[in-house]
Amino acid sequence: MLGTVTSGLVPMGVLLPDSILRHEAIAVLAAFVAINTIVYVTLSVAKMLPKVYVSDWLSTRNRRAETRSIHPDAPI
């Protein structure tokens, strides 16, 4: 009995019968795992990238117009 089941399933590469895999609960679980994987990959890639500070792109009033360095040609 076990030999006929495994011989029928192993060549297809399926561990569970097709009727179980086509069940609605398995489809919902597969969708959850897929969405969870996408979120995890997105967060991992975002964690690897350098931080972006929006305040660096905007000019504000608290920036000095002149350098106060001992080197007069230094950038502001």
Side-chain angles (χ1 to χ4, degrees):
M1 171 91 181
L2 185 60
T4 58
V5 171
T6 56
S7 67
L9 295 177
V10 171
M12 294 187 313
V14 177
L15 296 176
L16 299 173
D18 192 39
S19 61
I20 292 176
L21 293 177
R22 297 211 182 263
H23 195 266
E24 185 175 332
I26 299 297
V28 170
L29 181 63
F32 174 76
V33 170
I35 291 170
N36 192 19
T37 303
I38 290 171
V39 169
Y40 182 75
V41 167
T42 303
L43 290 175
S44 298
V45 169
K47 187 78 173 179
M48 289 189 301
L49 295 175
K51 287 187 176 182
V52 175
Y53 297 100
V54 178
S55 63
D56 291 344
W57 297 342
L58 302 174
S59 61
T60 56
R61 292 177 43 186
N62 61 357
R63 298 280 180 177
R64 293 189 176 102
E66 298 176 1
T67 180
R68 297 180 74 189
S69 173
I70 60 172
H71 305 288
D73 295 333
I76 299 173

